Amino acid sequence: MALEWVVLGYAAGAEAVMVLLLTIPGLDGLRKGLIAVTRNLLKPFMSVVPFCLFLLMDIYWKYETRPDCEGESCSPTEHLRHQKSIMKSQRNALLIGAALIFYWLLYSVTHLVVKIEQLKQRVERLKIKE
């Protein structure tokens, strides 16, 4: 089950890097290529959303079916295992949230950068006409 978390982590990292590269000032020469690459990757990265929902359902199922460990009913080892399971679930939920937020940011930033490029081209055409 750890492979899916690694894949989600790499996807979130790639999204974060692309958002960072699109928003860094001074990369005007590379921006057109970055926009093209990012626009082509938005559809494949859309698969992150249902994947995150699946993993969120997995976390919920594990939360609902795990044995309760309260009071004197379990040994210190079982109590430690219970706490470790809770920490992993919280970490994985944060990873899911980060992946979804980075996808939304990537989509929004790409859309805004494309609009800015279109407006720049429009202004240049209007300057040429005058």
Side-chain angles (χ1 to χ4, degrees), residues 12-110:
E15 291 169 351
V17 167
M18 285 190 283
V19 167
L20 188 66
L21 287 174
L22 283 174
T23 56
I24 289 178
L27 294 178
D28 294 332
L30 296 175
R31 190 149 336 261
K32 286 187 181 185
L34 287 171
I35 292 170
V37 168
T38 304
R39 287 182 79 183
N40 289 334
L41 286 176
L42 278 177
K43 283 187 182 176
F45 272 146
M46 182 62 180
S47 63
V48 166
V49 175
F51 189 60
C52 285
L53 292 176
F54 168 74
L55 291 176
L56 199 58
M57 288 181 354
D58 182 51
I59 289 173
Y60 178 74
W61 179 77
K62 285 179 182 176
Y63 177 77
E64 287 295 320
T65 59
R66 77 169 175 248
D68 286 334
C69 188
E70 296 176 4
E72 301 294 323
S73 65
C74 60
S75 69
T77 306
E78 290 172 340
H79 185 66
L80 185 62
R81 186 179 309 135
H82 179 73
Q83 292 297 325
K84 194 184 238 184
S85 172
I86 290 173
M87 294 283 284
K88 283 183 181 180
S89 294
Q90 291 172 345
R91 178 199 64 202
N92 292 341
L94 283 173
L95 181 60
I96 289 170
L100 291 173
I101 287 171
F102 278 131
Y103 180 77
W104 176 74
L105 281 173
L106 182 63
Y107 178 80
S108 300
V109 167
T110 303

Side-chain angles (χ1 to χ4, degrees), residues 118-128:
Q118 289 173 348
L119 290 173
K120 282 181 183 178
Q121 290 173 357
R122 197 181 224 179
V123 167
E124 287 177 13
R125 276 189 264 134
L126 288 173
K127 284 182 181 178
I128 291 173

